[in-house]
Amino acid sequence: MKKIVIGIIILTLSACKLIGKGNEIEFTIENKSDAPIENVRFTTSENLTELKFDNIGPNGIASGFLNMQSNKSDGTYILEYTRNGKKETKNYGHYTNGAAINQWVEFEIENDTVNQKFGDL
């Protein structure tokens, strides 16, 4: 009986993200366009933490984990970059009560659009 109770506690803590990596989202940004993208920034609409990349060349990839421990409200993810001297900023997806709904997001930046896919491991 003790093993069952301990198992339930561990599952509950894991589901609440109180153990392990915690509240974060893994991301990948792939530049499938013909031009480099510069001053790349990935953050949340609360702007509490961010990850920056100076340059992602054509066919280049950048990735990482965005820590959301300080986030408290509902919001969106923001991807910002400059290409050919033009700054582009767009909101994607959603998180709630400061917590990531999904475990990862992939961005594919093409010449005329940005594709995104959210998912879980």
Side-chain angles (χ1 to χ4, degrees):
M1 185 65 163
K2 270 186 171 179
K3 289 182 182 181
I4 293 173
V5 172
I6 291 171
I8 291 171
I9 291 171
I10 290 172
L11 286 174
T12 302
L13 291 174
S14 295
C16 294
K17 296 186 178 185
L18 294 175
I19 61 176
K21 290 188 176 183
N23 189 21
E24 61 188 9
I25 187 164
E26 181 179 6
F27 69 93
T28 301
I29 302 167
E30 184 173 1
N31 182 5
K32 291 189 168 185
S33 73
D34 297 330
I37 56 175
E38 300 170 325
N39 303 314
V40 181
R41 179 176 172 258
F42 183 62
T43 187
T44 65
S45 52
E46 292 179 81
N47 285 306
L48 298 172
T49 58
E50 63 184 24
L51 287 170
K52 293 182 177 183
F53 304 91
D54 291 334
N55 184 301
I56 304 172
N59 299 312
I61 297 175
S63 62
F65 290 88
L66 182 66
N67 184 326
M68 297 175 60
Q69 294 295 327
S70 299
N71 291 73
K72 301 294 181 210
S73 66
D74 292 353
T76 60
Y77 300 100
I78 298 172
L79 178 61
E80 181 178 279
Y81 58 90
T82 302
R83 179 173 44 190
N84 297 324
K86 181 182 174 193
K87 184 176 179 179
E88 299 189 36
T89 303
K90 294 184 181 176
N91 295 8
Y92 298 95
H94 184 76
Y95 62 91
T96 186
N97 295 324
I101 295 171
N102 300 101
Q103 294 176 328
W104 56 264
V105 60
E106 295 175 351
F107 295 101
E108 292 180 349
I109 299 173
E110 298 181 1
N111 288 328
D112 58 352
T113 191
V114 176
N115 299 312
Q116 81 277 337
K117 182 169 48 169
F118 287 84
D120 299 314
L121 300 174

